[in-house]
Amino acid sequence: MNILIIGNGGREHAIAEALSKNKETKRVYISTHNGGANNKILNAGLPNHNIESIDNFLKNTQIDLVVVGPEQYLSEGIIDHLESKGIKAFGPRKSAARLESSKAFAKEFMEKYQIPTAKYFQYDNYDAALAGLHEFGYPVVIKADGLCGGKGVSICQNKKEAVQALTDIFHNRIFGDQGAEIVMEQFLSGFEASLLCFVSGNKIYPFDTAMDYKKIYDNDLGPNTGGVGCISPNPYWTADLDQQSNEIIRKIERGLAAEKLEFTGILFIGYLVENGKLYVLEFNTRFGDPETEVLLPRLQSDLLTNMMQAIEGKPVELDFAENVAMTTILVSQGYPGKYETGYEITGLDLVDPGILVYHNGTKQIIDPISDQKVKIVTNGGRVLSIVAVKDNLEAARQAVYNNIDRIHFDNMSYRTDIGKIMANYKS
Ligand code: GLY
């Protein structure tokens, strides 16, 4: 079986590694370029976000399954497009992907099916939104309705910041049409938990939990990122939260069926725990990054089998090991702002057996004469996910940081506190 994965980051590398474990898998192609490519995981080298080039690739290469990573493709209906051509594809159709691509649609869904979430209102113009600020205290959360690459959410500490956020969205149109509507919602304080789930025939099969570290600096300081560390299971998750989550899942299943969303793929429930109560912050309709890098190494069942079960509308038989996985992401200094790339990465050959290295933003430099790999260089803000899977969190933490000490590239930066118990995260 040959598989094409659309996307090119650490998430796609982890999916490729997991899919390549199945003995039926002959080749896994990553649609653009991932520096972790080897003799089974190959780079298709297609331009990013170009459906025409994907179509051409599919015409010229025997592909039996397409797996879609990033949300932009799903929101534009790539699954509908591939299915219309008779190509087997894993992911939700455009109608179901709206649970991620429209914040307003997701909130309406939550309200309609009594899924606990923060109080909210939606607005499509500046004046109404400005008046709506009176409904909330501060901080208040302002979210552009559409996909904004993780930049569409502002937590405004006072009226000045809120007015600026509304001006940027409605007058300066910094998100273009993705900001044509907004959701304004009550700020909830607590800690976040990520729950990825397979969805098959509108039935939900949850993975084990994970905890993403979104802030760039230690102690959860600095700007938000795409995620610079992750652990699974989430150490603050309790049996009571599990019970609340199961009730929420049943409500989501009822909603998916009633709305005839025919969801197939991954539903990622972004939870927030405030004073022991679970709220849904957001839905994503794809694998999370870096959650995937810590969840898939703990998966005992076969990922390809699980994906096929979902595509065929069968029960998804998931199985997770009773261990702990942790990743710290090595980033280019300056990320999530401006950063430089092209620096050689050394020491990857020195990591201990069992330590996993997923490539987020790297590039292989190939000698044009010998066709051999000469070196690997940095090629993004998030560069490498260093993952350890151990019996407990402390052992995983030590293994990750011991191995990071052997890896080097100029301008390398990373958080040093991933996996440390946070005093402010209490269930
Ligand atoms: N880690 C959060 C996300 O994938 O959106």
Side-chain angles (χ1 to χ4, degrees):
M1 181 178 231
N2 288 336
I3 302 167
L4 172 67
I5 300 182
I6 299 189
N8 64 351
R11 163 182 59 194
E12 286 76 15
H13 188 195
I15 294 170
E17 291 282 359
L19 290 174
S20 68
K21 282 190 193 145
N22 186 301
K23 60 179 185 335
E24 299 296 320
T25 304
K26 211 163 121 203
R27 292 198 177 108
V28 183
Y29 292 91
I30 293 194
S31 65
T32 54
H33 186 102
N34 184 288
N38 55 34
N39 54 5
K40 204 165 174 182
I41 299 173
L42 307 166
N43 286 319
L46 308 177
N48 208 2
H49 214 98
N50 185 323
I51 307 277
E52 202 183 325
S53 70
I54 293 171
D55 280 344
N56 282 336
F57 182 77
L58 292 169
K59 259 188 225 145
N60 299 323
T61 317
Q62 169 63 40
I63 293 290
D64 306 285
L65 173 68
V66 179
V67 176
V68 182
E71 59 273 24
Q72 288 85 358
Y73 290 93
L74 296 167
S75 73
E76 286 165 15
I78 191 163
I79 300 290
D80 313 52
H81 174 73
L82 294 170
E83 284 179 350
S84 74
K85 292 174 172 277
I87 295 163
K88 201 168 274 184
F90 179 78
R93 295 188 189 133
K94 185 174 180 173
S95 53
R98 284 189 75 210
L99 285 170
E100 174 164 6
S101 63
S102 168
K103 305 280 175 289
F105 179 73
K107 291 293 274 191
E108 280 162 24
F109 181 92
M110 292 179 218
E111 189 171 58
K112 188 164 173 189
Y113 296 99
Q114 283 128 37
I115 293 160
T117 189
K119 169 184 148 184
Y120 79 103
F121 291 103
Q122 41 188 110
Y123 302 100
D124 64 3
N125 67 81
Y126 176 86
D127 291 337
L130 189 65
L133 284 173
H134 298 295
E135 299 286 343
F136 298 91
Y138 292 95
V140 64
V141 183
I142 295 177
K143 296 179 174 176
D145 178 60
L147 297 177
C148 304
K151 298 192 172 77
V153 179
S154 303
I155 298 172
C156 307
Q157 300 296 335
N158 49 48
K159 189 159 184 188
K160 189 170 173 224
E161 287 182 15
V163 169
Q164 186 62 53
L166 295 177
T167 304
D168 284 344
I169 294 175
F170 286 117
H171 293 328
N172 301 335
R173 292 186 53 79
I174 59 169
F175 302 124
D177 287 348
Q178 302 296 318
E181 284 188 46
I182 62 151
V183 165
M184 187 181 288
E185 73 179 32
Q186 170 201 2
F187 175 77
L188 297 173
S189 63
F191 68 91
E192 292 184 29
S194 306
L195 187 72
L196 274 65
C197 310
F198 265 98
V199 189
S200 166
N202 286 338
K203 289 266 168 273
I204 295 180
Y205 302 88
F207 286 55
D208 209 338
T209 54
M211 189 171 87
D212 184 12
Y213 290 72
K214 291 207 171 79
K215 299 283 184 186
I216 187 71
Y217 301 130
D218 282 11
N219 299 313
D220 283 343
L221 296 174
N224 264 339
T225 67
V228 288
C230 204
I231 43 184
S232 174
N234 186 315
Y236 308 99
W237 194 255
T238 61
D240 180 58
L241 293 175
D242 213 44
Q243 196 180 331
Q244 292 182 48
S245 176
N246 287 336
E247 283 165 22
I248 289 171
I249 284 171
R250 300 288 87 87
K251 289 179 182 176
I252 299 173
E253 285 178 338
R254 278 202 286 282
L256 294 178
E259 301 296 321
K260 298 191 175 39
L261 287 180
E262 293 177 34
F263 197 124
T264 297
I266 298 292
L267 179 69
F268 167 165
I269 309 174
Y271 280 128
L272 187 123
V273 184
E274 184 183 62
N275 299 325
K277 186 163 162 30
L278 212 47
Y279 296 86
V280 175
L281 274 188
E282 62 177 7
F283 292 127
N284 298 313
T285 60
R286 50 165 174 87
F287 283 97
D289 195 345
E291 285 86 348
T292 304
E293 289 98 303
V294 289
L295 286 164
L296 294 186
R298 299 187 53 227
L299 187 68
Q300 298 278 81
S301 48
D302 174 62
L303 182 64
L304 180 56
T305 307
N306 291 146
M307 284 183 174
M308 295 313 261
Q309 287 167 335
I311 289 171
E312 290 162 14
K314 295 180 178 159
V316 180
E317 291 156 349
L318 280 175
D319 183 21
F320 280 87
E322 293 284 325
N323 51 17
V324 176
M326 181 189 128
T327 185
T328 296
I329 300 194
L330 307 182
V331 304
S332 301
Q333 184 89 50
Y335 171 81
K338 282 204 175 77
Y339 55 82
E340 292 171 3
T341 60
Y343 295 113
E344 181 171 3
I345 302 169
T346 56
L348 292 179
D349 50 337
L350 302 177
V351 301
D352 288 329
I355 295 293
L356 304 164
V357 177
Y358 294 124
H359 291 241
N360 303 85
T362 71
K363 191 156 93 179
Q364 295 183 355
I365 305 296
I366 308 283
D367 181 300
I369 312 288
S370 67
D371 233 13
Q372 295 295 307
K373 180 169 77 186
V374 190
K375 59 182 177 179
I376 297 184
V377 298
T378 62
N379 193 37
R382 291 192 289 185
V383 177
L384 294 165
S385 298
I386 312 302
V387 183
V389 185
K390 298 283 176 190
D391 289 341
N392 60 65
L393 181 55
E394 193 43 39
R397 193 179 134 67
Q398 277 182 19
V400 165
Y401 284 106
N402 281 341
N403 280 276
I404 284 176
D405 286 344
R406 302 171 206 173
I407 300 171
H408 173 80
F409 56 87
D410 283 355
N411 288 0
M412 177 169 119
S413 175
Y414 57 91
R415 272 183 70 158
T416 63
D417 64 345
I418 307 299
K420 269 191 187 164
I421 294 303
M422 300 281 195
N424 52 335
Y425 288 3
K426 286 203 188 78
S427 310

Coordinates of all heavy atoms in Angstrom, one line a residue, residues 212 214 226 268 284 286-291, ligand 1:
D212 N -0.6 20.2 26.0 CA 0.2 21.0 25.1 C 0.7 22.2 25.9 O 0.1 22.8 26.7 CB -0.7 21.5 23.9 CG 0.0 22.3 22.9 OD1 1.2 22.2 22.8 OD2 -0.7 22.9 22.0
K214 N 1.7 25.9 25.1 CA 1.6 26.8 24.0 C 2.5 28.0 24.1 O 2.8 28.6 23.1 CB 0.1 27.3 23.9 CG -0.8 26.2 23.5 CD -2.0 26.8 22.8 CE -2.9 25.7 22.2 NZ -3.7 25.0 23.2
G226 N 2.6 27.6 18.1 CA 1.8 26.4 17.7 C 1.9 25.2 18.7 O 1.2 24.2 18.5
F268 N -10.5 16.7 17.5 CA -9.6 17.1 18.6 C -10.4 18.1 19.5 O -10.8 19.2 19.1 CB -8.4 17.8 18.0 CG -7.5 18.5 18.8 CD1 -6.2 18.8 18.3 CD2 -7.7 18.9 20.1 CE1 -5.3 19.5 19.0 CE2 -6.8 19.6 20.9 CZ -5.6 20.0 20.3
N284 N -11.0 21.0 16.9 CA -10.2 20.9 15.7 C -10.6 19.6 15.0 O -11.0 18.7 15.7 CB -8.7 20.9 16.0 CG -8.2 22.2 16.7 OD1 -8.6 23.3 16.3 ND2 -7.5 22.0 17.8
R286 N -8.7 17.6 13.1 CA -7.5 17.0 12.5 C -6.6 16.6 13.7 O -6.9 16.9 14.9 CB -6.7 18.1 11.7 CG -6.7 19.3 12.6 CD -5.7 20.4 12.2 NE -5.9 21.6 13.1 CZ -5.3 21.8 14.2 NH1 -4.4 20.8 14.7 NH2 -5.5 22.8 14.9
F287 N -5.5 15.9 13.4 CA -4.5 15.6 14.5 C -3.9 16.9 15.0 O -3.7 17.9 14.2 CB -3.4 14.8 13.9 CG -3.7 13.3 13.7 CD1 -4.1 12.9 12.4 CD2 -3.6 12.4 14.7 CE1 -4.4 11.5 12.2 CE2 -3.9 11.1 14.5 CZ -4.3 10.6 13.2
G288 N -3.6 17.0 16.3 CA -2.9 18.1 16.9 C -1.4 18.0 16.7 O -0.9 16.9 16.5
D289 N -0.8 19.2 16.7 CA 0.7 19.2 16.7 C 1.1 20.1 17.8 O 0.7 21.3 17.8 CB 1.1 19.8 15.3 CG 2.6 19.6 15.0 OD1 3.3 19.2 15.9 OD2 3.0 19.7 13.8
P290 N 1.8 19.7 18.8 CA 2.6 18.5 18.9 C 1.9 17.3 19.6 O 2.6 16.3 19.9 CB 3.8 18.9 19.8 CG 3.3 20.0 20.7 CD 2.1 20.6 19.9
E291 N 0.6 17.3 19.8 CA 0.0 16.1 20.5 C 0.3 14.8 19.8 O 0.5 13.8 20.5 CB -1.6 16.4 20.6 CG -2.0 17.4 21.6 CD -2.0 18.8 21.1 OE1 -1.5 19.1 20.0 OE2 -2.6 19.7 21.8
Ligands
GLY1 N1 -1.6 21.8 19.6 C1 -2.7 22.5 19.2 C2 -3.1 22.3 17.8 O1 -2.7 21.4 17.1 O2 -4.0 23.1 17.3

